[in-house]
Amino acid sequence: MRCQNLVCGLVLLLALGTSTVVQATKPEDTAATRAQGQVLFERTCLFCHGATGQGDGPAGWFLGRYASPRPRNFTAGSFKFRSTPSGDLPTDQDLFRTITKGIPGYMPSFASLSEAARWQIVAYVKSFYPGFRTETPVPLPLVGAPTPQLAESLDRGRALYTSFECHTCHGTEGRGDGPVTQAGELKDASGLQIQAADLTRPSSFKNGASLPDLVRTLLTGLDGTPMPSYAARLSDRETDAWDLAQYLRALSAESVP
Amino acid sequence: MLYRTSTLLVATSILVVIALSSLVMPNQAQAIPAFARKYDVQCTACHTAPPVLNTFGQRFLENGYQLPGTEDGGTTGKKKLGDVTLDDVGKYLAFRLVGNAVRSWSFTQQNPAGTDTGVAQNKTELTFPENFTLFAGGTVMKNVGFMVELGHDVEGGGAEVERGFVSFNNLGAQDLAHVRIGKFDPSAFYSVVTIRQQLNEVKESLSSGCNTAYTPCSFNRVGLAPSAFATKFYGLYDRGGTPLSPFASSLYNSGGEIGLDVHGRPFGKAWLYQVGVVNGANEPFGDSNKGKDLYAMLRYDYAQSDYFSATLSGFVYHGNSNAKVQTQEDVNWHRYGVSGRATYQMLDLYAAYAVDRINHVPSGVSGAFDATATGLTIGADAYVTNETLLSLRYDNLDAGGILEQRKSATFIGLQAKQYLRTNVAIFVRNDVNVRKSEGGEAAARNLRNAFFAGIDIIF
């Protein structure tokens, strides 16, 4: 099927601009969809996440060995990478994003699977936890926008980094070497030792490193880890989350896109 | 001589610098080889402990360096060939530098025969780096993969293509047939893989005067390698007249044979088949092969949950004029093997057993030649901490071949490996000869103990 450049360009713009077009390839969450998802899951995800979705696949132990993370246990209903408030389930879009982008260091990107295939897997992954049938996760709104005055924004971000005591875990320079981390006191929900992220290496961020990604991480927290949600404390001023995000980007030793 | 000493000095200082800098540098910077870079995951996504693969890594290999269940050769982490930038090169290239900085042999002096018989000797040599391997591998497009491994063996000298092949994957239907063509390791999909061992293969040392074709050749020191994979026969020669080492991995378990093989899982996820045809053991180019060697392997996998996996496999390898005896007569040398492996959390257990048979012993050596030999290898690797890997291996070789020369051997090797960083490990290893007290003036008895200390870097 050929198309003229202009028409293709328009379709692409629409696809980027609205979510409805993306949803078009999303199949209905039926038994048939889940069954197709299961076939794909057992060929691809089982080795890490296990046949029963408990995160205990035959290759699952070796990734973190005695430390965090282990592959996610889908039957526990706790997820790290969400657009929803702490304690809530992720949206379908959240799960789809994780599968598509992968998790730096721990899970490869599965962008090579067709979009339909990835949605089928999402449906199957959700079937491991009954809560997905009864709850309707709602994303937190991303309010505000980054301030154009970068210097002021960075100053405010730096102040917030100190007053929110991010440095206790992440270190003054953001190297992931704060006193709490160095004391080896940080544990994940399953009791395994976990490291605070090295904020100077945004390419290792599991939840994305763009400004909106960082704001999302700060608002939602990473459930099941010591990284808390700052939604309550950041709600006073819309720009605070963006200032902090700007500052995090400035900590980076890498050039970020 | 001066040159030698200075190389040694340079090598040692490099070693010291690497070891020290690894200790000082924080553990966070993870420099990891090509595939890990390409997919942005740790080595342990695919390896229990490099180079040994976990179930996910095995399926990645089976699928021709594509994620299991996908045909991502055309997409993931890749640009079109033709606009590959310097950044991308790291996604195709990797190297491994492994070697014993120190090897220490304790043996009863035997050679030259007759001198100082029975006197215990100790010999220590500095050898780093023993082996340097350059890998280039990946996919060129959807369902077409490749791998080239250039190895430089410092002791043997010279560089050589250890493996170099192209793979065509998912032919007909997903997982129906994957084809490899080139120089590959036939045992890549076996439960215990020749080129994926924690205890590196240590070559034997031959006594001098072994370079005339078809002349009997004796050993100063035995080689240390998995007995189930070894040649097992004394007094066999390749078609060019070079003696085959009874200790070297061969036939189905060879590290590299030229040919074509097919594998797949058409009978459900649990069963893997493999069939292949190769030129034959140590067949050099240009020699008129009399026939081709054929093999078939079947493997059963249990891989579900509970951090547990188990596999069982068996193969038949049918040789066709693939070796000669001293009288320059051809033999058909076959092998039948079974192996199993189980992993549970930090523990990796494996065993392999093989029977080698030579059909119709040529009249020239009949009566003086044992046509059957067996090898047993049992081992375990275990992470005792996040950075410490202990490995144990037991090898028993019931050797065959020329009755006068053949000598069975039993060794136990123990290794402790400490990861300084994800890609840098130092190790110490000790192998003891279980049968050293048994009599018999032979290399298999004389070597009493071997100690190694070395470093393993993968980049």
Side-chain angles (χ1 to χ4, degrees):
Chain A
M1 216 189 65
R2 294 212 165 176
C3 60
Q4 279 164 351
N5 277 344
L6 188 68
V7 181
C8 285
L10 272 177
V11 173
L12 191 71
L13 263 182
L14 276 176
L16 289 172
T18 68
S19 53
T20 42
V21 174
V22 176
Q23 303 277 324
T25 49
K26 184 180 173 186
E28 287 278 317
D29 191 340
T30 62
T33 309
R34 288 191 295 273
Q36 284 164 319
Q38 179 172 5
V39 172
L40 293 160
F41 183 92
E42 292 185 348
R43 258 196 207 130
T44 308
C45 324
L46 177 148
F47 306 106
C48 292
H49 288 284
T52 51
Q54 287 177 293
D56 58 354
W61 191 87
F62 297 99
L63 265 169
R65 302 194 282 270
Y66 295 97
S68 188
R70 295 270 165 81
R72 188 73 66 252
N73 174 358
F74 299 131
T75 66
S78 172
F79 289 82
K80 281 188 190 176
F81 316 121
R82 294 159 293 107
S83 55
T84 58
S86 181
D88 283 12
L89 292 175
T91 64
D92 290 7
Q93 196 71 48
D94 288 335
L95 294 172
F96 185 83
R97 187 182 59 241
T98 301
I99 298 170
T100 305
K101 291 170 80 176
I103 302 170
Y106 300 100
M107 180 171 129
S109 148
F110 289 98
S112 56
L113 290 172
S114 76
E115 222 172 289
R118 278 174 272 155
W119 282 119
Q120 287 161 357
I121 298 181
V122 167
Y124 184 63
V125 165
K126 284 166 67 186
S127 72
F128 286 117
Y129 184 66
F132 276 108
R133 260 175 272 147
T134 50
E135 290 165 39
T136 319
V138 182
L140 281 169
L142 270 195
V143 286
T147 6
Q149 288 81 22
L150 186 60
E152 292 167 30
S153 180
L154 286 181
D155 283 343
R156 283 197 300 270
R158 185 178 296 114
L160 288 166
Y161 187 83
T162 312
S163 65
F164 285 1
E165 299 191 320
C166 309
H167 58 271
T168 54
C169 294
H170 290 286
T172 337
E173 283 165 46
R175 294 233 165 80
D177 54 358
V180 184
T181 309
Q182 292 211 311
E185 285 166 16
L186 294 181
K187 301 268 160 70
D188 72 5
S190 42
L192 295 171
Q193 198 156 341
I194 188 171
Q195 301 284 327
D198 179 352
L199 301 179
T200 66
R201 292 182 58 234
S203 60
S204 70
F205 290 177
K206 299 169 175 174
N207 204 12
S210 72
L211 283 180
D213 288 339
L214 291 171
V215 170
R216 190 178 64 237
T217 300
L218 293 170
L219 293 180
T220 62
L222 302 179
D223 285 4
T225 83
M227 173 67 200
S229 155
Y230 288 90
R233 299 177 71 177
L234 288 168
S235 60
D236 308 351
R237 286 187 38 147
E238 305 190 329
T239 52
D240 279 1
W242 295 97
D243 292 336
L244 198 43
Q246 293 271 31
Y247 177 66
L248 292 179
R249 300 257 305 214
L251 283 172
S252 165
E254 300 168 354
S255 56
V256 260
Chain B
M1 190 59 215
L2 199 73
Y3 169 75
R4 278 257 181 112
T5 336
S6 57
T7 348
L8 201 74
L9 217 72
V10 170
T12 320
S13 21
I14 290 173
L15 197 83
V16 169
V17 168
I18 290 170
L20 287 181
S21 60
S22 311
L23 288 172
V24 193
M25 271 199 264
N27 215 20
Q28 61 210 4
Q30 276 140 8
I32 33 186
F35 294 135
R37 280 190 285 267
K38 176 170 167 184
Y39 291 97
D40 193 7
V41 287
Q42 312 242 12
C43 315
T44 45
C46 283
H47 296 276
T48 53
V52 184
L53 293 173
N54 66 30
T55 36
F56 187 69
Q58 288 164 17
R59 303 303 165 108
F60 179 75
L61 181 75
E62 277 176 35
N63 203 24
Y65 311 113
Q66 303 180 102
L67 293 176
T70 80
E71 299 178 347
D72 75 11
T75 45
T76 302
K78 261 182 106 257
K79 298 183 179 164
K80 271 197 241 95
L81 217 71
D83 46 54
V84 177
T85 69
L86 208 57
D87 280 355
D88 298 319
V89 171
K91 292 175 180 166
Y92 294 92
L93 290 181
F95 71 76
R96 182 176 187 203
L97 189 60
V98 55
N100 302 300
V102 178
R103 307 196 290 189
S104 190
W105 311 101
S106 158
F107 57 103
T108 322
Q109 180 74 41
Q110 196 64 52
N111 286 297
T115 54
D116 290 340
T117 305
V119 179
Q121 300 271 318
N122 292 302
K123 188 179 159 200
T124 299
E125 33 189 24
L126 295 169
T127 50
F128 187 82
E130 276 179 306
N131 203 296
F132 178 83
T133 314
L134 186 71
F135 306 85
T139 44
V140 281
M141 55 186 278
K142 182 176 159 181
N143 285 329
V144 180
F146 72 100
M147 171 59 77
V148 180
E149 284 177 48
L150 274 179
H152 174 63
D153 174 5
V154 175
E155 198 173 12
E160 148 174 47
V161 177
E162 293 186 355
R163 281 164 289 282
F165 59 89
V166 197
S167 71
F168 300 95
N169 303 97
N170 298 303
L171 299 179
Q174 197 165 40
D175 253 357
L176 176 65
H178 308 275
V179 178
R180 293 188 298 171
I181 299 170
K183 186 174 183 185
F184 50 76
D185 53 327
S187 76
F189 313 111
Y190 196 42
S191 295
V192 192
V193 184
T194 306
I195 61 166
R196 302 183 192 280
Q197 302 283 329
Q198 284 304 329
L199 275 70
N200 293 315
E201 198 164 320
V202 179
K203 284 205 179 121
E204 71 285 341
S205 128
L206 295 172
S207 64
S208 54
C210 281
N211 15 15
T212 325
Y214 300 109
T215 31
C217 178
S218 67
F219 299 94
N220 282 331
R221 177 171 44 68
V222 293
L224 300 168
S227 296
F229 306 158
T231 292
K232 305 178 191 73
F233 290 107
Y234 283 71
L236 277 191
Y237 300 83
D238 74 7
R239 299 186 55 81
T242 312
L244 297 180
S245 156
F247 313 105
S249 299
S250 56
L251 303 188
Y252 182 72
N253 310 95
S254 156
E257 285 291 334
I258 298 167
L260 176 151
D261 89 353
V262 188
H263 66 274
R265 292 182 185 264
F267 328 112
K269 286 174 309 211
W271 293 95
L272 174 91
Y273 80 89
Q274 182 194 19
V275 289
V277 49
V278 291
N279 276 346
N282 306 284
E283 190 79 68
F285 277 121
D287 184 47
S288 58
N289 325 300
K290 279 207 155 166
K292 297 277 176 276
D293 290 5
L294 303 169
Y295 58 87
M297 190 272 284
L298 190 65
R299 157 173 167 161
Y300 175 78
D301 282 303
Y302 177 84
Q304 297 288 321
S305 53
D306 299 311
Y307 302 120
F308 176 77
S309 76
T311 105
L312 270 179
S313 21
F315 72 85
V316 174
Y317 184 102
H318 187 91
N320 202 337
S321 300
N322 53 346
K324 292 191 180 227
V325 290
Q326 204 185 317
T327 52
Q328 306 197 22
E329 289 162 290
D330 278 9
V331 294
N332 295 335
W333 167 25
H334 310 314
R335 183 173 298 165
Y336 313 93
V338 288
S339 73
R341 181 180 170 204
T343 65
Y344 174 66
Q345 297 200 351
M346 78 298 275
L347 191 65
D348 190 343
L349 283 171
Y350 60 90
Y353 178 74
V355 181
D356 283 36
R357 273 203 61 82
I358 283 173
N359 282 13
H360 312 299
V361 174
S363 50
V365 290
S366 73
F369 195 94
D370 184 351
T372 307
T374 65
L376 173 69
T377 295
I378 304 174
D381 300 327
Y383 280 105
V384 288
T385 76
N386 252 352
E387 285 88 29
T388 316
L389 182 73
L390 292 188
S391 303
L392 178 73
R393 195 174 74 203
Y394 167 89
D395 280 296
N396 183 60
L397 181 70
D398 272 329
I402 298 294
L403 295 176
E404 227 171 56
Q405 297 172 17
R406 70 107 180 251
K407 207 73 181 174
S408 297
T410 310
F411 277 86
I412 290 179
L414 182 65
Q415 177 176 278
K417 204 170 191 179
Q418 181 73 20
Y419 286 88
L420 305 175
R421 294 170 58 170
T422 49
N423 59 330
V424 181
I426 47 173
F427 59 84
V428 286
R429 164 177 170 187
N430 198 70
D431 289 59
V432 288
N433 187 344
V434 176
R435 297 198 189 171
K436 62 178 175 238
S437 55
E438 286 178 28
E441 312 255 290
R445 298 286 172 275
N446 292 341
L447 179 64
R448 301 184 307 179
N449 193 77
F451 171 84
F452 309 90
I455 189 160
D456 191 347
I457 302 170
I458 310 183
F459 228 87

